[in-house]
Amino acid sequence: MSVDILKKFFNVEVENSFLDGKYVRYMANDTIYTLFPVTNVREELLVELYEMSEHIAGMGDKYISRFILSTDNKYLITSNEEDYVLLQNKSTSLPRHLDYGRKLAKFHYRGRSIQTSIEHVSRVGQWKSFWETRLDQMEKAWYRLVQEHPDQEFEHLFVDSFPYYMGVCENAIQYLVDTEIDDTPVQIDAGTVCHERFNKDSWGKNQWIRNPFDWVFDHPSRDIAEWIRDQYFRNKRTFLPDVQDFLRSYQSVSPLSSFSWRLLYARLLFPLHYFECIEEYFITNSEQHQKYLEERLRKYMRDSVEYERFLSDFFQMAEVSGKLNVPTVDWLIS
């Protein structure tokens, strides 16, 4: 069906297709096409993603996915009552050196200069309200389970673990609030194009593709923190050299301010990995995936003291200058 849409609306003759992570890509004339269903995506949000894509591509980023016009000069097409947009990338080889820190800093530099007002995909200054909402929803789910006396093993684990993670979450929110009161943003702290969840797979494995549907507009520390979180849980025994190289490399382009370090730390302190594990369990219908999430939750609980140690040592590990006077959290040190 997608092949038919490309031919009918964009006059693209697909030569072959391949699965790239969660996306099916289509090849034609040394160009990669990705068809996105957007029936439930607000038009004003699509406009902002388009504006960000055009801006960063115009700044010289050759890996950006760009929206392309249909044969009727429309970016949004409708087929069988479903709306779609088509993104295009030139087929390019991977960079010789996969220097994520430096590449991310350059990406942020380009995104920071966008002149268009970004509102609908912006998360700047909204972490506190997002975290509080998430915590409130999870606390209600936890309380309901406590009243109902859970019978599933995962539910038992959730009931047992949530009070601890609620406390950690409240610490993260307080740290964020203190940062916004006590510290002052500088130029490097301006909002930029970021990713919902940045990690080493975000730009692909065989082709580097920077997909606007992965983006939000936020403080750059969002991407740095999520890359570090992913590296920690992906390679817990060997993450340190990679994280240090990443941070040095990023700062060779954009040195971080004390405000940036504090936002980054607040984000690592917020137990996003725990929240996502719980939320995913209750929306999936796959027993196999639920079993996997049960094991993952058990692992998070078992290794929570180790993660506390990682947080308590973070600024030393990250080689943050003492001159910045970045505070840690008291209970982690004790």
Side-chain angles (χ1 to χ4, degrees):
M1 178 186 166
S2 296
V3 172
D4 295 335
I5 291 174
L6 266 66
K7 172 60 178 169
K8 178 180 177 182
F9 291 95
F10 299 93
N11 200 27
V12 172
E13 294 275 8
V14 172
E15 296 162 6
N16 57 64
S17 62
F18 61 95
L19 187 63
D20 179 22
K22 58 184 178 181
Y23 301 114
V24 177
R25 315 281 191 191
Y26 301 92
M27 291 291 300
N29 296 323
D30 207 32
T31 301
I32 302 170
Y33 295 94
T34 312
L35 189 68
F36 281 88
V38 294
T39 307
N40 298 316
V41 181
R42 300 198 317 274
E43 188 172 344
E44 54 268 30
L45 189 147
L46 288 173
V47 170
E48 291 187 351
L49 296 181
Y50 166 81
E51 294 285 357
M52 292 193 292
S53 170
E54 286 299 295
H55 170 77
I56 297 182
M59 293 279 288
D61 193 319
K62 64 184 179 181
Y63 301 109
I64 296 295
S65 298
R66 302 182 78 166
F67 291 72
I68 67 167
L69 288 165
S70 70
T71 52
D72 291 336
N73 281 325
K74 296 177 181 176
Y75 286 109
L76 188 70
I77 65 100
T78 303
S79 177
N80 294 327
E81 299 184 0
E82 293 288 327
D83 296 330
Y84 298 91
V85 296
L86 187 64
L87 300 187
Q88 169 185 284
N89 292 79
K90 283 297 176 186
S91 181
T92 54
S93 56
L94 285 173
R96 191 173 302 168
H97 302 293
L98 296 180
D99 189 342
Y100 287 96
R102 188 174 179 81
K103 296 290 186 185
L104 180 65
K106 287 185 174 181
F107 179 82
H108 285 162
Y109 172 79
R110 289 167 173 152
R112 199 176 284 119
S113 62
I114 190 168
Q115 298 300 307
T116 307
S117 176
I118 304 297
E119 298 176 10
H120 300 283
V121 296
S122 177
R123 302 292 180 268
V124 176
Q126 297 181 33
W127 294 7
K128 178 175 178 285
S129 60
F130 274 107
W131 293 356
E132 287 176 337
T133 299
R134 215 160 178 175
L135 178 59
D136 184 56
Q137 289 171 342
M138 192 160 288
E139 186 174 7
K140 287 175 180 174
W142 174 80
Y143 185 75
R144 188 168 58 250
L145 265 182
V146 169
Q147 298 299 308
E148 293 172 356
H149 304 292
D151 56 359
Q152 300 293 325
E153 180 59 22
F154 184 94
E155 294 173 348
H156 281 290
L157 294 172
F158 172 42
V159 165
D160 291 344
S161 62
F162 179 71
Y164 166 79
Y165 283 101
M166 179 170 65
V168 174
C169 182
E170 288 170 344
N171 269 265
I173 292 170
Q174 188 59 53
Y175 191 93
L176 177 65
V177 170
D178 290 345
T179 296
E180 292 173 344
I181 292 172
D182 298 339
D183 212 329
T184 305
V186 295
Q187 187 177 359
I188 193 69
D189 297 304
T192 187
V193 180
C194 291
H195 303 74
E196 187 71 40
R197 291 286 175 277
F198 186 64
N199 60 64
K200 65 182 297 184
D201 297 330
S202 292
W203 294 338
K205 295 181 179 178
N206 301 314
Q207 298 268 353
W208 261 20
I209 292 177
R210 293 177 180 153
N211 170 19
F213 285 90
D214 290 341
W215 296 349
V216 292
F217 192 81
D218 206 345
H219 189 280
S221 63
R222 177 195 191 102
D223 282 347
I224 303 170
E226 294 313 323
W227 194 91
I228 292 170
R229 190 197 308 273
D230 179 72
Q231 284 298 107
Y232 175 85
F233 286 110
R234 191 188 292 247
N235 308 301
K236 222 161 25 152
R237 301 290 171 227
T238 60
F239 75 94
L240 183 56
D242 286 341
V243 168
Q244 288 177 328
D245 287 347
F246 174 80
L247 288 169
R248 289 179 197 134
S249 179
Y250 186 97
Q251 292 192 94
S252 70
V253 176
S254 295
L256 298 179
S257 68
S258 60
F259 189 83
S260 288
W261 281 116
R262 291 175 75 164
L263 282 192
L264 192 165
Y265 191 66
R267 196 162 184 97
L268 288 176
L269 189 57
F270 181 77
L272 182 63
H273 48 283
Y274 175 83
F275 274 71
E276 288 186 335
C277 181
I278 303 296
E279 291 162 353
E280 213 174 311
Y281 179 90
F282 287 112
I283 63 173
T284 186
N285 294 318
S286 164
E287 286 188 23
Q288 184 179 359
H289 192 53
Q290 285 184 332
K291 198 67 186 171
Y292 162 77
L293 292 168
E294 181 184 315
E295 288 307 309
R296 199 161 87 183
L297 177 57
R298 203 185 301 275
K299 192 169 185 295
Y300 287 156
M301 293 169 65
R302 186 177 66 241
D303 297 343
S304 60
V305 173
E306 202 172 325
Y307 191 67
E308 284 182 22
R309 193 174 300 117
F310 159 69
L311 289 171
S312 68
D313 295 340
F314 177 74
F315 291 124
Q316 181 181 351
M317 178 207 79
E319 302 168 317
V320 180
S321 169
K323 295 177 183 177
L324 293 177
N325 293 319
V326 182
T328 49
V329 179
D330 291 342
W331 63 269
L332 288 171
I333 302 169
S334 59

